[in-house]
Amino acid sequence: MPVEFKENSIKEWIINNLEEGQIADVILEGCQSGIVSELIYYADTEAFYEKYKEEIWDRLSNMADDMGEPSILHLIVTFNGSKEVGSDLQLRNLLAWWACEDVCREIIAEKEDEAAE
């Protein structure tokens, strides 16, 4: 049975479910390392994607715009693991991992900004 993601945002889920050291490890090792036990199995990454897909695609769109990419797909092919994507399920898995990693980077950046003030 897949993990149930109850929080309204990815950030809220990460803050409620990952320890600070785990968040830093996600940035260093990536989700493919298995550091986030709730995002190891396809059933779980699929559930994560389904819960947060609007937020994921908004983040992708914003990043593609910020990086000057001509499309979101041009951005996605730059992701680590994109060459292994051969199905819709694998794409959703890749995007779930990317979104978790992206939000972890955001959380760490916010903490560093607060500490610098």
Side-chain angles (χ1 to χ4, degrees), residues 6 12 38 41 70:
K6 297 179 181 179
E12 184 181 343
E38 297 90 345
Y41 300 105

Side-chain angles (χ1 to χ4, degrees), residues 15-66:
I15 289 170
N16 289 345
N17 292 280
L18 302 183
E19 297 174 13
E20 193 169 328
Q22 231 180 333
I23 294 170
D25 287 344
V26 167
I27 295 169
L28 294 173
E29 301 172 26
C31 287
Q32 78 278 357
S33 69
I35 191 74
V36 181
S37 60
E38 297 90 345
L39 295 177
I40 293 176
Y41 300 105
Y42 279 130
D44 297 331
T45 57
E46 171 74 8
F48 182 92
Y49 176 86
E50 281 301 317
K51 173 70 178 186
Y52 301 116
K53 66 183 167 188
E54 287 182 32
E55 180 180 350
I56 290 169
W57 285 96
D58 285 344
R59 288 179 164 278
L60 286 165
S61 179
N62 291 337
M63 181 177 274
D65 289 345
D66 291 347

Side-chain angles (χ1 to χ4, degrees), residues 68-79:
E69 292 289 349
S71 73
I72 292 171
L73 292 178
H74 283 90
L75 174 65
I76 292 171
V77 299
T78 68
F79 294 169

